Amino acid sequence: MNRDWVADLAKQLAAPLKATGSRTAHHWQDCCTDADPSRELRIERDKMTSPPVEFRLWGQVAVHLDGERVLLGTEKEQCLLVALAMKSAPVQRDALPEWLWDDPPDGAASEIDRYMTRLRKRLIIAGAGDLLESKNRICRLNVMDTQVDVRRFEALVAKARTVVDGQATALLAEALELAEGVPLAGLRSRRIDAYRATLLERRLATQIRLAEIEIRLGRYRECIPGLFELFLEHPANAEVTRLMMSSLHFAGRTQNALDAFATHRKQVVENGGLEVDAELKKLQRLIMDNSESLRRPDHVVPLLPARETHRALVVVLRPDDADLTALETAISRSFRRDGVDVCVADDQLVCVVSADIPHTEVVNSWLDRLAAGVRVPVRVGVSVEDEDLATELAGSEYARRVLAAARGKNLVVVVSDELHESVVRRRGAPNELRSYRQVDEHPGGWVRVPGFSMPPRPIQVEERRGKPRSGDVFKGPIVYVQDHAQIGEQFNAAVINMGTRRHDER
């Protein structure tokens, strides 16, 4: 990448984007609703006698009462607050332990009671009132969507979909003002980490959407500093690269746009081992040719589909063990969340994951957690709204052979081409791209083994079924020598295999 261009853009980062309209609270007041009118009235009544309360999950988890921060106590209490505050819907009490612990202890129920009591007391003493409700194994934080930053963020983004571009930019900009810093800072658990990844993904999607509208409105120069920051953070992201190239080209900086493409290509091809997206190649050619179709930003049709899919996933799990009880237990621990339906179909389990759950969360953190809990070999097929395809992927011979080669691992995941394109290629970091291997036989897809940075080479059929060949037995250690060494010299080496390796151990 051209050094002068980097220095020039770095200076522009200090320049603020032009204001695009009012960003006051009334934008989200008319788009946050509640399905329970009596609850809405009760909350409004309580607000008349209590100072305003705001719950913040972006950055460090905090409660602000009349502008003053309230001390929340321990990390576990903060994790509990996150679980209750993230959505307006009630939370099943049985779902709370996974927010606090990766492996809930035997006395998790009583511990939850203790943390709930402490959190309630802190809020009451601070003057916020008794906001926690717990009965019939259902828990709820009785606040409005406008009082929780992540819920206000979602309401603003949803509202922006229903208005014209000029109004949408103001709503999206206001949403991004709420989403500053690392969400849930300082908190750790697998469930917390998954939700943090979801929030970061939604922020990136909103940043991309805002930039796309701004470019279409002709404000491409104002977009360059923000897009430059995004590009430095996500150089392998095709959507960020597309917008970066477009804004630079429209600003008359064609060479810089081509430099951005070259940087993206290096990340994807050299570091990720994949091909550059065909639509990005097309955009590069149009820029090089100074095509008439790229003369006016308002006439440019997005070259890539929207990030937000809003489609359900089908996850099919085929264990080698005919007894599905243990696998069902592992799924309940890994996929414990509303919006997941699990049923038994012959010798496999079929999970249908609702459309409001991000695909990246399912194919990454959820299946990684499952991999840590299964005790028998399991093949997993994942597709978008296609159970037959997911079943084919899970039952493929290729998946079986990869799992046979993955010594010490019990889970292999095969995602459809469509899912790999939308989740991995266009959203993933270079290390995520390398963790998949393309399946070059029916039914296709992409395979990964959780715990492996790269999937192992699948064992060939003749290696598994044929008789041992003369070269199939090795005696003595296999040694890898680092750097160069001559006879008589000392050198560093690593023993890869000690003793005899039999054919049936491969």
Side-chain angles (χ1 to χ4, degrees), residues 224-379:
I224 291 176
L227 282 172
F228 181 67
E229 288 186 320
L230 283 184
F231 185 68
L232 289 179
E233 187 176 356
H234 306 281
N237 186 294
E239 292 171 87
V240 173
T241 304
R242 171 177 65 91
L243 294 173
M244 187 73 198
M245 293 170 64
S246 299
S247 62
L248 288 168
H249 174 70
F250 293 137
R253 304 172 66 169
T254 299
Q255 185 56 52
N256 293 154
L258 298 175
D259 289 342
F261 176 84
T263 299
H264 171 80
R265 184 182 183 282
K266 182 177 181 180
Q267 288 290 324
V268 173
V269 177
E270 297 182 16
N271 297 339
L274 299 174
E275 288 296 324
V276 175
D277 186 274
E279 295 296 340
L280 269 184
K281 291 181 180 179
K282 177 181 176 182
L283 178 60
Q284 180 206 26
R285 290 194 298 271
L286 291 174
I287 291 176
M288 292 178 68
D289 296 340
N290 196 23
S291 172
E292 187 70 28
S293 63
L294 292 180
R295 295 293 172 85
R296 293 185 57 186
D298 56 325
H299 289 172
V300 175
V301 177
L303 296 176
L304 301 178
R307 289 177 57 87
E308 299 170 274
T309 54
H310 299 294
R311 298 169 65 191
L313 284 187
V314 180
V315 183
V316 173
L317 304 102
R318 295 177 61 91
D320 286 355
D321 191 339
D323 182 10
L324 300 177
T325 305
L327 182 57
E328 284 188 276
T329 302
I331 290 175
S332 67
R333 292 174 178 172
S334 303
F335 289 17
R336 190 189 304 164
R337 179 170 175 170
D338 295 336
V340 180
D341 295 326
V342 183
C343 66
V344 178
D346 298 326
D347 58 346
Q348 64 189 25
L349 293 178
V350 179
C351 303
V352 179
V353 185
S354 66
D356 66 328
I357 298 175
H359 294 176
T360 52
E361 185 172 349
V362 178
V363 300
N364 292 326
S365 56
W366 283 22
L367 291 177
D368 286 349
R369 290 204 304 270
L370 181 63
V374 295
R375 296 293 177 263
V376 297
V378 178
R379 286 160 286 135

Side-chain angles (χ1 to χ4, degrees), residues 184-202:
L184 319 178
L187 302 185
R188 289 289 182 272
S189 76
R190 281 196 295 261
R191 190 66 185 86
I192 289 287
D193 291 342
Y195 183 46
R196 180 185 294 110
T198 298
L199 290 176
L200 291 173
E201 179 186 349
R202 289 174 180 170

Side-chain angles (χ1 to χ4, degrees), residues 17-18 20 23 160 165-177 203-217 219 223 227 230 243:
L17 295 177
K18 291 183 179 179
T20 55
R23 299 177 182 178
D165 283 351
Q167 296 173 337
T169 56
L171 292 167
L172 295 174
E174 184 179 349
L176 290 172
E177 285 182 354
R203 179 173 66 186
L204 177 60
T206 303
Q207 290 170 316
I208 289 173
R209 189 175 171 200
L210 175 59
E212 191 164 54
I213 295 175
E214 293 278 17
I215 291 174
R216 189 160 59 241
L217 292 175
R219 301 168 184 163
C223 290
L227 282 172
L230 283 184
L243 294 173

Side-chain angles (χ1 to χ4, degrees), residues 471-485:
D472 278 1
V473 177
F474 301 89
K475 296 182 179 180
I478 298 173
V479 179
Y480 172 74
V481 179
Q482 300 172 351
D483 300 319
H484 301 285

